[in-house]
Amino acid sequence: MENVYNEISTLGKCVDILSGLDSKIIKSLCDRILLKISMTNDDVLFDDKENYKLAKALYVNEDDARSLSLTLKSLFLTAAGLGMRSQHFLNSLEYIANMPEEAKQTIYSSYDTHFQNLITKLKKDCVFPSRLEDVSWQLNVTLTQSGMKRVKVPKVNMSFHTNELDTADSCMNLEMDEEKLIEFFKVLDTVQRNMDALSQ
C-alpha cells in the first residue's frame, strides 16, 4: 500500500512540474528520453551530470528532475510493452488527474513519433517468439558435369512465413540438398515423437 501511495505521490509531483513547463520543453525532454531508451540498455536514464543540467533547465531540484524523467520513461515503456498504439496512449493519459491538456498532447506527440523505434527496441531486448504461419517450397534442379556425364542435382527451397508483419524477419528462406533434407526430417521426427510422448 505504501508503494502505491509513493507512486501516486510521485506522479502527482510530476504533473505539477509538467503544469509549469512550456510545451516545447516537454517535447524536447520526451524526445530525449525516447531516444535514450531506443539507443541504450542502461537502467540509468541520465547520469548525475545530465540530471543536474536537466534540473537547472526545468528550474527544479535534482531529485524532482530524476523522478520526472524516470516517470516519463516508465510511462512510455509500459505503453509500448502493452502494444498501445498512439491513440490508445493518448486516451490513457486522460486518466492522469490534473495533467494539462497541452502536456498530454505534447507527450502523445513524442510517443507517436518514436513508437516504432520503441517497439523495435523492446523486441530486441525481450523474447517475443514468432509464430509459424505458413510453409512454402519449390524444387530446383541444376545440371553439373561429372566426367563425361551430366548429373542432375535437385535442391529444395523452403520458405517459413511467420507472424512478424512488415519486418525483415517475417520470412526465412532455406535451401537444402537431399542429405540436409533427410537430416531435417529426422529432427522433425524426433520433435514429433517427443510431443506425442508429452501429450499422452
Side-chain angles (χ1 to χ4, degrees):
M1 189 69 181
E2 187 179 344
N3 285 339
V4 172
Y5 174 78
N6 287 338
E7 286 177 19
I8 293 171
S9 176
T10 300
L11 184 59
K13 182 67 177 175
C14 291
V15 170
D16 289 344
I17 296 169
L18 289 169
S19 299
L21 296 178
D22 182 78
S23 61
K24 289 180 182 176
I25 294 174
I26 297 173
K27 181 80 166 72
S28 176
L29 174 61
C30 289
D31 285 343
R32 196 165 159 211
I33 290 169
L34 286 158
L35 282 170
K36 280 265 191 181
I37 294 170
S38 299
M39 292 167 55
T40 68
N41 290 316
D42 295 340
D43 288 333
V44 177
L45 197 57
F46 299 122
D47 62 27
D48 289 342
K49 187 176 179 181
E50 289 174 310
N51 191 63
Y52 173 75
K53 288 180 180 178
L54 177 63
K56 286 195 74 174
L58 301 180
Y59 299 101
V60 296
N61 64 49
E62 291 178 54
D63 286 341
D64 287 346
R66 195 173 300 284
S67 288
L68 177 61
S69 60
L70 289 175
T71 300
L72 287 170
K73 175 187 176 182
S74 177
L75 197 65
F76 292 136
L77 286 176
T78 301
L82 292 171
M84 279 189 188
R85 293 286 174 180
S86 302
Q87 189 58 46
H88 293 127
F89 177 68
L90 179 59
N91 293 343
S92 72
L93 293 178
E94 297 298 329
Y95 292 98
I96 300 178
N98 303 320
M99 183 181 283
E101 189 60 34
E102 190 177 21
K104 291 176 189 173
Q105 290 292 337
T106 305
I107 294 168
Y108 155 75
S109 174
S110 286
Y111 181 77
D112 185 46
T113 302
H114 297 273
F115 175 76
Q116 199 55 54
N117 288 339
L118 203 53
I119 292 295
T120 302
K121 167 70 173 174
L122 285 177
K123 284 187 175 183
K124 284 180 182 175
D125 290 350
C126 305
V127 178
F128 290 101
S130 300
R131 190 173 65 250
L132 185 64
E133 297 284 349
D134 189 30
V135 179
S136 57
W137 59 274
Q138 179 181 0
L139 285 176
N140 292 326
V141 179
T142 55
L143 290 173
T144 61
Q145 195 78 26
S146 177
M148 297 298 291
K149 285 195 335 183
R150 284 190 172 183
V151 180
K152 290 181 181 178
V153 180
K155 290 187 178 179
V156 62
N157 287 319
M158 300 190 74
S159 298
F160 299 89
H161 305 274
T162 71
N163 62 334
E164 293 289 331
L165 299 175
D166 302 322
T167 71
D169 300 325
S170 63
C171 182
M172 180 190 296
N173 297 303
L174 297 175
E175 183 183 76
M176 291 181 270
D177 59 18
E178 189 174 6
E179 183 183 346
K180 289 294 179 188
L181 187 60
I182 290 169
E183 285 180 25
F184 182 60
F185 285 149
K186 286 179 180 176
V187 170
L188 288 178
D189 182 57
T190 302
V191 171
Q192 183 64 58
R193 280 189 277 108
N194 278 279
M195 287 182 74
D196 289 344
L198 287 172
S199 62
Q200 289 174 1

